[in-house]
mmCIF file of all heavy atoms in Angstrom:
data_model
loop_
_atom_site.group_PDB
_atom_site.id
_atom_site.type_symbol
_atom_site.label_atom_id
_atom_site.label_comp_id
_atom_site.label_asym_id
_atom_site.label_seq_id
_atom_site.Cartn_x
_atom_site.Cartn_y
_atom_site.Cartn_z
ATOM 1 N N ILE A 1 32.007 52.340 -2.304
ATOM 2 C CA ILE A 1 31.511 51.640 -1.134
ATOM 3 C C ILE A 1 30.672 52.641 -0.314
ATOM 4 O O ILE A 1 31.193 53.689 0.098
ATOM 5 C CB ILE A 1 32.672 51.091 -0.271
ATOM 6 C CG1 ILE A 1 33.590 50.197 -1.097
ATOM 7 C CG2 ILE A 1 32.112 50.334 0.935
ATOM 8 C CD1 ILE A 1 32.941 48.921 -1.574
ATOM 9 N N SER A 2 29.414 52.319 -0.042
ATOM 10 C CA SER A 2 28.569 53.236 0.705
ATOM 11 C C SER A 2 29.016 53.352 2.139
ATOM 12 O O SER A 2 29.641 52.410 2.705
ATOM 13 C CB SER A 2 27.134 52.740 0.643
ATOM 14 O OG SER A 2 26.639 52.703 -0.704
ATOM 15 N N MET A 3 28.708 54.468 2.763
ATOM 16 C CA MET A 3 29.098 54.762 4.123
ATOM 17 C C MET A 3 27.834 54.866 5.014
ATOM 18 O O MET A 3 26.966 55.690 4.732
ATOM 19 C CB MET A 3 29.844 56.117 4.200
ATOM 20 C CG MET A 3 31.050 56.212 3.283
ATOM 21 S SD MET A 3 31.596 57.922 3.108
ATOM 22 C CE MET A 3 32.036 58.355 4.793
ATOM 23 N N TYR A 4 27.761 54.044 6.040
ATOM 24 C CA TYR A 4 26.684 54.172 7.023
ATOM 25 C C TYR A 4 27.200 55.090 8.102
ATOM 26 O O TYR A 4 28.095 54.734 8.874
ATOM 27 C CB TYR A 4 26.312 52.808 7.574
ATOM 28 C CG TYR A 4 25.023 52.771 8.316
ATOM 29 C CD1 TYR A 4 23.799 52.895 7.607
ATOM 30 C CD2 TYR A 4 24.965 52.650 9.688
ATOM 31 C CE1 TYR A 4 22.595 52.851 8.271
ATOM 32 C CE2 TYR A 4 23.733 52.641 10.370
ATOM 33 C CZ TYR A 4 22.569 52.738 9.667
ATOM 34 O OH TYR A 4 21.370 52.708 10.332
ATOM 35 N N SER A 5 26.678 56.318 8.182
ATOM 36 C CA SER A 5 27.317 57.431 8.909
ATOM 37 C C SER A 5 28.721 57.566 8.320
ATOM 38 O O SER A 5 28.893 57.733 7.136
ATOM 39 C CB SER A 5 27.321 57.237 10.411
ATOM 40 O OG SER A 5 26.003 57.378 10.945
ATOM 41 N N MET A 6 29.759 57.470 9.169
ATOM 42 C CA MET A 6 31.124 57.672 8.680
ATOM 43 C C MET A 6 31.794 56.357 8.226
ATOM 44 O O MET A 6 32.913 56.397 7.738
ATOM 45 C CB MET A 6 31.983 58.327 9.792
ATOM 46 C CG MET A 6 32.231 57.462 11.017
ATOM 47 S SD MET A 6 30.803 57.197 12.094
ATOM 48 C CE MET A 6 30.517 58.843 12.741
ATOM 49 N N GLY A 7 31.087 55.243 8.337
ATOM 50 C CA GLY A 7 31.706 53.965 7.964
ATOM 51 C C GLY A 7 32.860 53.634 8.891
ATOM 52 O O GLY A 7 34.016 53.486 8.497
ATOM 53 N N GLY A 8 32.560 53.477 10.173
ATOM 54 C CA GLY A 8 33.580 53.405 11.185
ATOM 55 C C GLY A 8 34.221 52.039 11.412
ATOM 56 O O GLY A 8 35.183 51.919 12.169
ATOM 57 N N LEU A 9 33.715 50.974 10.763
ATOM 58 C CA LEU A 9 34.343 49.650 10.871
ATOM 59 C C LEU A 9 35.516 49.581 9.902
ATOM 60 O O LEU A 9 35.559 48.740 9.006
ATOM 61 C CB LEU A 9 33.317 48.569 10.624
ATOM 62 C CG LEU A 9 32.322 48.297 11.752
ATOM 63 C CD1 LEU A 9 31.260 47.337 11.305
ATOM 64 C CD2 LEU A 9 33.038 47.803 13.029
ATOM 65 N N ALA A 10 36.444 50.469 10.085
ATOM 66 C CA ALA A 10 37.592 50.615 9.182
ATOM 67 C C ALA A 10 38.730 51.287 9.953
ATOM 68 O O ALA A 10 38.511 51.883 10.982
ATOM 69 C CB ALA A 10 37.213 51.412 7.954
ATOM 70 N N GLU A 11 39.937 51.157 9.409
ATOM 71 C CA GLU A 11 41.060 51.774 10.079
ATOM 72 C C GLU A 11 41.068 53.297 9.936
ATOM 73 O O GLU A 11 41.735 53.986 10.710
ATOM 74 C CB GLU A 11 42.342 51.176 9.548
ATOM 75 C CG GLU A 11 42.489 49.693 9.910
ATOM 76 C CD GLU A 11 43.708 49.035 9.307
ATOM 77 O OE1 GLU A 11 44.086 49.423 8.165
ATOM 78 O OE2 GLU A 11 44.290 48.146 9.937
ATOM 79 N N ARG A 12 40.348 53.802 8.945
ATOM 80 C CA ARG A 12 40.240 55.253 8.771
ATOM 81 C C ARG A 12 38.856 55.604 8.264
ATOM 82 O O ARG A 12 38.233 54.836 7.533
ATOM 83 C CB ARG A 12 41.342 55.797 7.815
ATOM 84 C CG ARG A 12 41.267 57.295 7.582
ATOM 85 C CD ARG A 12 42.476 57.823 6.822
ATOM 86 N NE ARG A 12 43.709 57.744 7.657
ATOM 87 C CZ ARG A 12 44.841 58.360 7.344
ATOM 88 N NH1 ARG A 12 44.951 59.027 6.188
ATOM 89 N NH2 ARG A 12 45.870 58.274 8.130
ATOM 90 N N CYS A 13 38.349 56.763 8.695
ATOM 91 C CA CYS A 13 37.041 57.205 8.229
ATOM 92 C C CYS A 13 37.066 58.726 8.010
ATOM 93 O O CYS A 13 37.939 59.420 8.529
ATOM 94 C CB CYS A 13 35.931 56.802 9.194
ATOM 95 S SG CYS A 13 35.989 57.676 10.789
ATOM 96 N N VAL A 14 36.054 59.199 7.308
ATOM 97 C CA VAL A 14 35.917 60.658 7.057
ATOM 98 C C VAL A 14 34.588 61.128 7.649
ATOM 99 O O VAL A 14 33.553 60.478 7.479
ATOM 100 C CB VAL A 14 35.985 60.972 5.555
ATOM 101 C CG1 VAL A 14 35.570 62.426 5.301
ATOM 102 C CG2 VAL A 14 37.385 60.706 5.025
ATOM 103 N N VAL A 15 34.628 62.247 8.383
ATOM 104 C CA VAL A 15 33.492 62.763 9.108
ATOM 105 C C VAL A 15 33.353 64.271 8.878
ATOM 106 O O VAL A 15 34.387 64.966 8.836
ATOM 107 C CB VAL A 15 33.669 62.511 10.622
ATOM 108 C CG1 VAL A 15 32.363 62.794 11.394
ATOM 109 C CG2 VAL A 15 34.149 61.113 10.922
ATOM 110 N N PRO A 16 32.130 64.789 8.707
ATOM 111 C CA PRO A 16 31.992 66.265 8.705
ATOM 112 C C PRO A 16 32.547 66.871 9.958
ATOM 113 O O PRO A 16 32.372 66.300 11.071
ATOM 114 C CB PRO A 16 30.468 66.471 8.559
ATOM 115 C CG PRO A 16 29.979 65.208 7.926
ATOM 116 C CD PRO A 16 30.863 64.107 8.477
ATOM 117 N N ALA A 17 33.179 68.007 9.854
ATOM 118 C CA ALA A 17 33.787 68.674 11.041
ATOM 119 C C ALA A 17 32.748 69.081 12.057
ATOM 120 O O ALA A 17 33.084 69.268 13.231
ATOM 121 C CB ALA A 17 34.614 69.855 10.589
ATOM 122 N N THR A 18 31.490 69.177 11.680
ATOM 123 C CA THR A 18 30.416 69.500 12.595
ATOM 124 C C THR A 18 30.162 68.380 13.600
ATOM 125 O O THR A 18 29.410 68.561 14.566
ATOM 126 C CB THR A 18 29.105 69.788 11.861
ATOM 127 O OG1 THR A 18 28.808 68.661 10.985
ATOM 128 C CG2 THR A 18 29.199 71.041 11.015
ATOM 129 N N ASP A 19 30.812 67.245 13.379
ATOM 130 C CA ASP A 19 30.526 66.068 14.168
ATOM 131 C C ASP A 19 31.759 65.499 14.863
ATOM 132 O O ASP A 19 31.871 64.308 15.110
ATOM 133 C CB ASP A 19 29.903 64.966 13.279
ATOM 134 C CG ASP A 19 29.392 63.792 14.064
ATOM 135 O OD1 ASP A 19 28.819 64.023 15.166
ATOM 136 O OD2 ASP A 19 29.517 62.662 13.596
ATOM 137 N N VAL A 20 32.706 66.367 15.168
ATOM 138 C CA VAL A 20 33.976 65.951 15.785
ATOM 139 C C VAL A 20 34.145 66.693 17.079
ATOM 140 O O VAL A 20 34.140 67.911 17.131
ATOM 141 C CB VAL A 20 35.158 66.254 14.817
ATOM 142 C CG1 VAL A 20 36.464 65.901 15.467
ATOM 143 C CG2 VAL A 20 34.990 65.454 13.522
ATOM 144 N N PHE A 21 34.357 65.933 18.184
ATOM 145 C CA PHE A 21 34.360 66.509 19.549
ATOM 146 C C PHE A 21 35.568 65.977 20.300
ATOM 147 O O PHE A 21 35.800 64.773 20.397
ATOM 148 C CB PHE A 21 33.071 66.159 20.264
ATOM 149 C CG PHE A 21 31.840 66.599 19.514
ATOM 150 C CD1 PHE A 21 31.223 65.740 18.648
ATOM 151 C CD2 PHE A 21 31.357 67.885 19.671
ATOM 152 C CE1 PHE A 21 30.083 66.157 17.923
ATOM 153 C CE2 PHE A 21 30.246 68.307 18.974
ATOM 154 C CZ PHE A 21 29.619 67.421 18.101
ATOM 155 N N PRO A 22 36.371 66.897 20.912
ATOM 156 C CA PRO A 22 37.580 66.481 21.633
ATOM 157 C C PRO A 22 37.220 65.595 22.834
ATOM 158 O O PRO A 22 36.235 65.799 23.550
ATOM 159 C CB PRO A 22 38.171 67.823 22.124
ATOM 160 C CG PRO A 22 37.648 68.838 21.139
ATOM 161 C CD PRO A 22 36.271 68.374 20.802
ATOM 162 N N VAL A 23 38.054 64.579 23.036
ATOM 163 C CA VAL A 23 37.890 63.596 24.119
ATOM 164 C C VAL A 23 38.828 63.975 25.269
ATOM 165 O O VAL A 23 40.029 64.232 25.027
ATOM 166 C CB VAL A 23 38.176 62.173 23.629
ATOM 167 C CG1 VAL A 23 38.230 61.197 24.799
ATOM 168 C CG2 VAL A 23 37.142 61.781 22.630
ATOM 169 N N PRO A 24 38.352 64.011 26.512
ATOM 170 C CA PRO A 24 39.228 64.321 27.652
ATOM 171 C C PRO A 24 40.384 63.325 27.731
ATOM 172 O O PRO A 24 40.208 62.155 27.440
ATOM 173 C CB PRO A 24 38.281 64.184 28.846
ATOM 174 C CG PRO A 24 36.914 64.361 28.313
ATOM 175 C CD PRO A 24 36.944 63.823 26.913
ATOM 176 N N ASP A 25 41.526 63.849 28.201
ATOM 177 C CA ASP A 25 42.725 62.988 28.261
ATOM 178 C C ASP A 25 42.554 61.768 29.167
ATOM 179 O O ASP A 25 43.178 60.742 28.930
ATOM 180 C CB ASP A 25 43.930 63.824 28.758
ATOM 181 C CG ASP A 25 44.377 64.837 27.731
ATOM 182 O OD1 ASP A 25 44.069 64.684 26.546
ATOM 183 O OD2 ASP A 25 45.039 65.851 28.131
ATOM 184 N N GLU A 26 41.722 61.884 30.189
ATOM 185 C CA GLU A 26 41.591 60.791 31.137
ATOM 186 C C GLU A 26 40.722 59.655 30.595
ATOM 187 O O GLU A 26 40.638 58.595 31.230
ATOM 188 C CB GLU A 26 40.982 61.309 32.450
ATOM 189 C CG GLU A 26 39.619 61.944 32.352
ATOM 190 C CD GLU A 26 39.647 63.445 32.110
ATOM 191 O OE1 GLU A 26 40.680 63.947 31.597
ATOM 192 O OE2 GLU A 26 38.647 64.111 32.398
ATOM 193 N N LEU A 27 40.066 59.844 29.461
ATOM 194 C CA LEU A 27 39.202 58.791 28.884
ATOM 195 C C LEU A 27 39.909 58.079 27.756
ATOM 196 O O LEU A 27 40.352 58.699 26.802
ATOM 197 C CB LEU A 27 37.910 59.419 28.389
ATOM 198 C CG LEU A 27 36.891 58.461 27.764
ATOM 199 C CD1 LEU A 27 36.421 57.416 28.763
ATOM 200 C CD2 LEU A 27 35.684 59.234 27.232
ATOM 201 N N ALA A 28 40.010 56.755 27.844
ATOM 202 C CA ALA A 28 40.617 55.974 26.770
ATOM 203 C C ALA A 28 39.793 56.095 25.498
ATOM 204 O O ALA A 28 38.549 56.044 25.536
ATOM 205 C CB ALA A 28 40.734 54.521 27.185
ATOM 206 N N LEU A 29 40.487 56.245 24.370
ATOM 207 C CA LEU A 29 39.764 56.376 23.090
ATOM 208 C C LEU A 29 38.934 55.144 22.792
ATOM 209 O O LEU A 29 37.838 55.272 22.214
ATOM 210 C CB LEU A 29 40.774 56.620 21.957
ATOM 211 C CG LEU A 29 41.214 58.050 21.753
ATOM 212 C CD1 LEU A 29 42.205 58.141 20.602
ATOM 213 C CD2 LEU A 29 40.024 59.000 21.471
ATOM 214 N N THR A 30 39.436 53.976 23.143
ATOM 215 C CA THR A 30 38.681 52.763 22.874
ATOM 216 C C THR A 30 37.380 52.712 23.669
ATOM 217 O O THR A 30 36.383 52.073 23.270
ATOM 218 C CB THR A 30 39.500 51.521 23.160
ATOM 219 O OG1 THR A 30 40.100 51.625 24.451
ATOM 220 C CG2 THR A 30 40.614 51.356 22.096
ATOM 221 N N ASP A 31 37.341 53.401 24.819
ATOM 222 C CA ASP A 31 36.100 53.513 25.575
ATOM 223 C C ASP A 31 35.194 54.614 25.057
ATOM 224 O O ASP A 31 33.988 54.515 25.062
ATOM 225 C CB ASP A 31 36.425 53.782 27.065
ATOM 226 C CG ASP A 31 37.019 52.580 27.766
ATOM 227 O OD1 ASP A 31 37.220 51.527 27.118
ATOM 228 O OD2 ASP A 31 37.306 52.707 28.975
ATOM 229 N N ALA A 32 35.816 55.688 24.568
ATOM 230 C CA ALA A 32 35.073 56.827 24.063
ATOM 231 C C ALA A 32 34.218 56.488 22.828
ATOM 232 O O ALA A 32 33.278 57.193 22.503
ATOM 233 C CB ALA A 32 35.999 57.994 23.717
ATOM 234 N N ALA A 33 34.561 55.378 22.141
ATOM 235 C CA ALA A 33 33.846 55.025 20.936
ATOM 236 C C ALA A 33 32.344 54.872 21.205
ATOM 237 O O ALA A 33 31.519 55.222 20.327
ATOM 238 C CB ALA A 33 34.403 53.734 20.347
#
């Protein structure tokens, strides 16, 4: 199954570590998307 970027319309995805950034605790993850 091809991936458009990380293929995020799924319960789990794989991303290069160069593209992962910590989210501040005060921001809801569902908003950070």
Side-chain angles (χ1 to χ4, degrees):
I1 305 292
S2 299
M3 305 165 62
Y4 195 71
S5 289
M6 67 289 292
L9 285 171
E11 293 175 327
R12 180 169 289 191
C13 69
V14 170
V15 191
T18 53
D19 189 38
V20 176
F21 303 92
V23 171
D25 290 340
E26 60 269 22
L27 179 61
L29 276 179
T30 50
D31 289 1

